[in-house]
Amino acid sequence: MLANMMRDSLSAWVTTGVKMTPIAATIRNFGKAIAGTSPEYMALVNSGVLGGYDYSRGVEQSGRQLEKEINKINKTRAQKIASPVTGIWAALEKGTFASDAATRMEIYKKTLEETGNEAEALWRSLEVMNFNRHGSSPVVRVLTAAVPFLNARMQGLDILYRTAIAPWFNDATNQEVQRMKTFWVRGMTLMALSSMYWALTHDDDEYKKQEQETRDQYWLFIVTGK
């Protein structure tokens, strides 16, 4: 969940153009999402931006999911205590849900402050990563249903294209052009920091011991002590 929040936060900071404090704002919103009392959180839940994916798999499956959620709400304290395993699982589900909500909440809040347009704020928070988009190709629909995380990867690449490249080839609005400029400034900033990090760590013996996949995906901070 922590890794998910860090990735989402930095990605949204680069691709949305919204003025936010990455990571710090996301972690702060995570606590608010767990409590479930934030107005931004409630707005995203009520609009279907959060939780909508759970109800996108057909009427029957959605009905069973809705019944499950209603039963959770109606459980007595005794029933919750009597089922510790499901209680732990439910807590983990809530944490995962909150980690997905944290960055979207910040995007919603900042966009609403900037534009005063709630529809725009909801749309931008959804487009942080819209898992409900599938396109019209039946072949791609089958592939994304069969291959785990393929749709998420494709949506991420689509966001990258629409933000960083598409405005050069289309009749883009001023807002889209500005977002593209912000993308390149912030993206190059992260690239420069990553290059500096690599220059400082690539010869470290502890760094070399890590698997190549780990080194490719994370910034590793070697902590030494006696």
Side-chain angles (χ1 to χ4, degrees), residues 43-162:
L44 296 181
V45 170
N46 292 333
S47 65
V49 172
L50 297 175
Y53 188 74
D54 292 332
Y55 302 100
S56 63
R57 293 169 289 178
V59 176
E60 291 185 5
Q61 179 63 31
S62 296
R64 286 193 289 269
Q65 180 67 23
L66 179 59
E67 183 180 11
K68 178 182 175 182
E69 295 301 321
I70 292 173
N71 289 336
K72 284 182 184 178
I73 295 172
N74 292 331
K75 271 188 177 181
T76 64
R77 185 179 296 274
Q79 288 174 321
K80 292 178 181 179
I81 294 174
S83 52
V85 175
T86 55
I88 293 172
W89 184 262
L92 291 173
E93 279 187 333
K94 187 173 183 179
T96 303
F97 194 77
S99 70
D100 179 57
T103 297
R104 298 180 191 272
M105 289 164 60
E106 190 68 12
I107 298 299
Y108 172 85
K109 177 183 177 182
K110 293 298 184 182
T111 303
L112 195 59
E113 290 176 357
E114 175 192 342
T115 66
N117 187 329
E118 186 171 16
E120 177 73 12
L122 290 171
W123 181 80
R124 286 196 195 178
S125 62
L126 176 64
E127 287 298 305
V128 167
M129 182 64 74
N130 189 351
F131 296 109
N132 289 315
R133 298 180 73 221
H134 295 284
S136 59
S137 170
V139 175
V140 174
R141 283 175 173 267
V142 170
L143 286 174
T144 53
V147 181
F149 304 110
L150 177 60
N151 187 54
R153 182 68 65 186
M154 293 175 69
Q155 297 309 327
L157 291 172
D158 181 61
I159 290 171
L160 186 65
Y161 168 75
R162 285 188 286 135

Side-chain angles (χ1 to χ4, degrees), residues 11-56:
S11 175
W13 179 67
V14 172
T15 61
T16 64
V18 171
K19 295 179 181 179
M20 59 180 284
T21 305
I23 300 179
T26 296
I27 292 175
R28 183 171 61 249
N29 286 331
F30 177 73
K32 295 179 180 179
I34 289 290
T37 56
S38 166
E40 292 82 19
Y41 177 81
M42 296 309 300
L44 296 181
V45 170
N46 292 333
S47 65
V49 172
L50 297 175
Y53 188 74
D54 292 332
Y55 302 100
S56 63

